[in-house]
């Protein structure tokens, strides 16, 4: 049920176009995969400050369904929350021809090199580590 609500939210954002003719490049939507943490709230605020709409997926299945259907401009994901493994999500999306071109960013408070290397090995485009300076964070998203 939650996935359908998120897809409807995406369609609401794109309400001037029929779902079969969605052109994400003309709409600025990013997907945030995360929980209710302060980190997620910070990231959501930073993305919105750039003029993007934000849809938050809280589960792996929601994130995969939305990525395949709505093809967001980018996906920003926490490494782990609510039994979701961000590395697995990134790998699945990068292996799928329908979603492998969507930029994928990890956010983390972990400066552990093996985690960063694993993030890049699974296909992430960037791995952004706290502490986050707002200007640098936004620049990385836009790069």
């Amino acid at each position: 049920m939650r996935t359908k609500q998120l897809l409807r939210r995406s369609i609401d954002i794109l309400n001037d176009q029929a779902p079969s003719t969605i052109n994400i490049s003309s709409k600025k939507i990013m997907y945030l995969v995360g929980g209710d943490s302060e980190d997620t709230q910070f990231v959501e605020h930073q993305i919105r400050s750039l003029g993007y709409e934000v849809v938050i997926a809280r589960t792996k299945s929601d994130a995969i369904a939305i990525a395949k259907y709505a093809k967001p401009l980018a996906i920003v994901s926490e490494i782990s929350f609510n039994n979701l493994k961000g590395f697995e999500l990134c790998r699945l999306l990068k292996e799928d021809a329908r979603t492998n071109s969507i930029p994928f960013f990890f956010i983390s408070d972990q400066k552990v090199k093996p985690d960063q290397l694993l993030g890049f090995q699974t296909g992430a485009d960037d791995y952004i580590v706290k502490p986050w300076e707002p200007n640098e964070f936004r620049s990385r998203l836009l790069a």
Side-chain angles (χ1 to χ4, degrees):
M1 183 65 168
R2 171 110 172 109
T3 301
K4 287 182 181 178
Q5 291 172 334
L6 289 171
L7 288 173
R8 281 192 197 110
R9 168 82 172 108
S10 298
I11 291 168
D12 287 345
I13 292 169
L14 301 163
N15 63 8
D16 59 323
Q17 298 179 35
S20 62
T21 61
I22 289 175
N23 178 3
I24 289 294
S25 64
S26 69
K27 301 293 179 180
K28 296 169 72 172
I29 300 175
M30 286 195 190
Y31 287 89
L32 176 58
V33 183
D36 286 326
S37 69
E38 287 182 20
D39 293 344
T40 302
Q41 292 171 7
F42 169 84
V43 172
E44 179 181 8
H45 175 75
Q46 295 305 312
I47 294 171
R48 287 188 191 282
S49 75
L50 293 168
Y52 291 86
E53 292 288 338
V54 178
V55 175
I56 300 175
R58 305 248 187 248
T59 68
K60 180 176 73 174
S61 60
D62 287 349
I64 290 171
I66 291 167
K68 287 179 181 178
Y69 177 74
K71 297 203 174 27
L73 292 174
I75 297 170
V76 181
S77 177
E78 293 185 28
I79 294 296
S80 179
F81 72 94
N82 296 343
N83 296 322
L84 177 128
K85 302 295 183 224
F87 297 124
E88 179 186 0
L89 173 63
C90 183
R91 182 186 56 76
L92 290 169
L93 292 174
K94 291 300 184 175
E95 288 176 351
D96 190 312
R98 295 169 290 184
T99 57
N100 65 6
S101 64
I102 301 169
F104 194 102
F105 299 88
F106 278 118
I107 54 171
S108 178
D109 58 0
Q110 304 289 324
K111 291 184 181 179
V112 181
K113 285 292 181 195
D115 281 353
Q116 291 176 345
L117 291 174
L118 183 57
F120 289 118
Q121 289 168 351
T122 60
D125 295 278
D126 203 350
Y127 190 107
I128 306 170
V129 181
K130 283 173 75 175
W132 300 321
E133 193 279 317
N135 289 330
E136 178 185 353
F137 184 86
R138 290 190 299 268
S139 294
R140 286 174 168 234
L141 287 180
L142 295 175

